[in-house]
Amino acid sequence: MGDFNWEDRIPSPGELRGGFESADDVLSRIIGDDSSIGSDLLKDTRLARSINSRKIRRSAGTRVVSVTNQKGGVGKTTTTVNVATSFAAEGIPVLVIDLDPQANTSGSLGVKKWGLGIYEVMTGQVDMGEAVVKSSLFPTLDVVPSSIDLSAIELEIAGAEGREAILKDCLFSYLKESGKKYEYVFIDCAPSLGLLVLNALTASGEVLIPVQVEYYALEGLSQLLKTIDLVRLNFNPDLKKVMMILNMVDKRTILSRKICQAVREAYPSMVLSSSIPRLVRVAEAAAAGESLTSYDPYSPASVAYRQACMEIAER
Ligand code: ATP
Ligand code: MG
C-alpha cells in the first residue's frame, strides 16, 4: 500500500481536454470504446448532444401536413405527437387537429377537459377557434381534440355540398380570423381512405406517411399515393409535397434493414433519411401522457424525431 500513488491514477486537470473531463470522456474511460454496448451508448450520447444543440429552421408561412396511412397501427398518432412536440419544444407555434375518433392524439397531447372538438366544428355547431385548447405540454402547442362522436360524421356530411372541403373551410377561416401564426398544422388521420381523410388531404399542402418497417410495408402505399394524386387533380392542386417516415426500425435485424432499403428504393425522393427506431420508450412516454421530448430527451427515438423535424423543416 505504501507504494501506491493516487496521482499516477487520476488524470490531472491539465491532462484533460479544456481542463475538465467531459461526460463523453468519463463514459469512454469507464466503458471503453471496444465494448459494443459502450460504443453504442457513446455514439448515441454524442449524436443526441449534437442534434439537440442545433436549431430547427423556422417556416415563413403555415404548413398544413396530413399524417396519414390507411393501414392501422403504423405510427400515425405517435408520429403526429412526437413531431409536433419536437417543433413545439423549440418554441415553434404548432396546431394539431385530431381527426381520428379514437382521440389518442388529444390524450397524448395533454388534453384533459373534453368539451367541444372537431366534430362540433365540422358539423357547423361552433367555429374552430372555440374548440382549440392549449396543450398542457408546451405553451406554443394548440390542439383541436376529437371524440367518439366523430365516428358518425362521414354519414352526416355525405350529402353536403362541398363535403370534401369542410375541414379546409373551417381551418382557413380560423387561421384568417384568429391571426394565429402557426408554422405547422398537423392533422392526425384515422386508418381509412374515407371522407374524413379526403377532408384532411383537401385542407393540406403536404402529406407525411408513416411506414411501419415490417414484411408488408410496401403494401397499400401505391394505393395511398394514387388517392393523393386524385385529390390533387380533383380537389386540391396545392397538395404537392409527399414525405414518408420509416417507423419501428430494428437496425439489428437483416429483415428490417432490407425493408428500409426496399422502401427507400421504391420512393427515393419521398422517404426522410431519419428513421424512427422501435423502442419501448416511445410507447412508455405515450402511456405516461408525456412527450418523448420531455420524457427522455436523450433517447435515440427522441433524437430521431428531432432529426426528422429538421429534415421536414428543410424540405
Ligand atoms: P391507428 O391506425 O389505430 O390510428 P396509428 O397508425 O396511429 O394507429 P400508433 O397508435 O401511433 O399507430 O402506434 C401503434 C402502436 O405502436 C402504439 O402502441 C404505439 O405506442 C406503438 N409504436 C409506434 N411507434 C413506435 C416505435 N417507434 N417504437 C415502439 N412502439 C411504437
Ligand atoms: Mg392513430
Side-chain angles (χ1 to χ4, degrees), residues 22-36:
S22 73
D24 289 356
D25 291 335
V26 174
L27 272 175
S28 194
R29 192 158 49 76
I30 296 169
I31 24 194
D33 279 337
D34 50 353
S35 117
S36 79

Side-chain angles (χ1 to χ4, degrees), residues 199-220:
N199 264 271
L201 295 175
T202 306
S204 301
E206 308 173 37
V207 188
L208 177 60
I209 306 172
V211 178
Q212 182 180 350
V213 175
E214 40 117 34
Y215 187 65
Y216 295 110
L218 285 164
E219 198 183 65

Side-chain angles (χ1 to χ4, degrees), residues 100-119:
D100 184 345
Q102 297 177 97
N104 295 335
T105 306
S106 312
S108 298
L109 291 177
V111 174
K112 295 201 175 74
K113 214 177 105 225
W114 300 91
L116 301 170
I118 194 66
Y119 172 78

Side-chain angles (χ1 to χ4, degrees), residues 76-77 100 102 104 188-189:
K76 294 178 286 297
T77 298
D100 184 345
Q102 297 177 97
N104 295 335
D188 181 30
C189 297

Side-chain angles (χ1 to χ4, degrees), residues 53-72:
S53 67
R54 277 164 50 199
K55 286 252 163 271
I56 299 179
R57 186 184 180 151
R58 305 296 293 258
S59 164
T62 303
R63 292 172 60 178
V64 184
V65 186
S66 278
V67 183
T68 190
N69 189 333
Q70 73 275 30
K71 253 197 209 183

